[in-house]
Amino acid sequence: MAQILFMMTGAEHWTLKDGTQHPTGFWAEEFLGPHEVFCEAGHEVVVATPEGVVPTVDEASLTPDVVGGRENATAMARAVAENPALQAPIRVDEVVLADHVAVFLPGGHGPMEDLAVDPKAGGLLVSALEADVPLGVVCHAPAALLTCLRDDGSSVFAGYRLTAFTNEEEKQVGLADKAPWLLQDRLVDLGVDFVEGEPWEPYVVRDRGLYSGQNPASSAPLAAEITRALG
């Protein structure tokens, strides 16, 4: 059974422009959907966080209006609470990349707080890229790419075609004006070829070993694309 590494945020909040802390964590759908896809394909999921802390689910991702009703919300909350990989994460700096056939990063606003400034997380992504290990990032998780810099300050991912949570989607959730920075803008500043689909619709992009998804609805299709590549 091959292992898929899920590198996840350990943050419980996102610090906004005015210094207030917006409660967050990982987005449930972006963990549960890909987890199901990979496990159904016969893989095992291993979770890593920056400090080995149990990742916090964003409670907004478990509300009935977001997930299609109270029954779905209850089922998803139970699935998160009972998932053994989530309850026993390893530290990012303990990861042995050779043990994993792919690396996948779920989103939520949490990565904007910690993975975006964590050089150990960035180093792992660069190692995956160099080792030709498929790397998947979805929604806000591409924030982790911001630390992947060469000695001259240029991005390892400059020139890559990718997608992520868009400025328009951030506006529609009401956080664009409150954000200290917008992910799409920062990625464009890195020199990536940023592309986007319709807001909230599944949209997946592959460029070499980098697989990216725009939003929560893209997470399971993104995992399916990686699964096909793994054969």
Side-chain angles (χ1 to χ4, degrees):
M1 181 182 294
Q3 293 185 339
I4 308 288
L5 179 71
F6 275 38
M7 187 166 70
M8 300 180 64
T9 179
E12 298 179 346
H13 68 268
W14 178 33
T15 304
L16 300 180
K17 187 188 303 183
D18 64 0
T20 59
Q21 295 183 346
H22 176 71
T24 187
F26 70 91
W27 199 256
E29 179 182 357
E30 296 173 26
F31 173 83
L32 294 173
H35 183 278
E36 181 177 3
V37 170
F38 288 130
C39 289
E40 287 184 349
H43 301 299
E44 176 188 1
V45 169
V46 175
V47 171
T49 60
E51 299 298 330
V53 299
V54 174
T56 298
V57 65
D58 190 325
E59 293 296 334
S61 69
L62 295 173
T63 56
D65 60 329
V66 167
V67 302
R70 187 165 302 280
E71 184 176 344
N72 286 344
T74 299
M76 290 177 68
R78 182 182 301 113
V80 167
E82 296 178 354
N83 186 277
L86 280 176
Q87 304 311 313
I90 62 175
R91 295 171 59 100
V92 167
D93 57 9
E94 294 175 341
V95 170
V96 178
L97 184 61
D99 292 343
H100 309 283
V101 296
V103 178
F104 188 88
L105 280 66
H109 283 101
M112 303 277 280
E113 183 74 17
D114 60 355
L115 298 185
V117 294
D118 189 328
K120 293 177 181 177
L124 180 60
L125 301 189
V126 173
S127 295
L129 197 69
E130 293 174 343
D132 202 27
V133 173
L135 171 61
V137 290
V138 65
C139 202
H140 289 91
L145 306 185
L146 299 179
T147 64
C148 301
L149 303 177
R150 300 184 180 92
D151 291 341
D152 64 1
S154 64
S155 173
V156 171
F157 291 94
Y160 273 76
R161 188 170 183 264
L162 61 84
T163 191
F165 202 68
T166 64
N167 289 355
E168 178 58 32
E169 287 166 320
E170 204 72 83
K171 290 176 184 175
Q172 291 185 22
V173 298
L175 287 170
D177 291 339
K178 301 176 183 179
W181 47 272
L182 295 175
L183 180 56
Q184 179 176 344
D185 291 346
R186 282 289 182 90
L187 292 172
V188 170
D189 288 345
L190 289 182
V192 308
D193 178 11
F194 192 94
V195 292
E196 59 188 286
E198 291 298 317
W200 311 112
E201 294 297 318
Y203 188 65
V204 172
V205 176
R206 177 184 180 182
D207 187 348
R208 290 159 277 183
L210 178 65
Y211 299 73
S212 56
Q214 180 172 316
N215 47 37
S218 307
S219 56
L222 178 62
E225 182 74 12
I226 295 171
T227 299
R228 285 191 289 270
L230 292 173

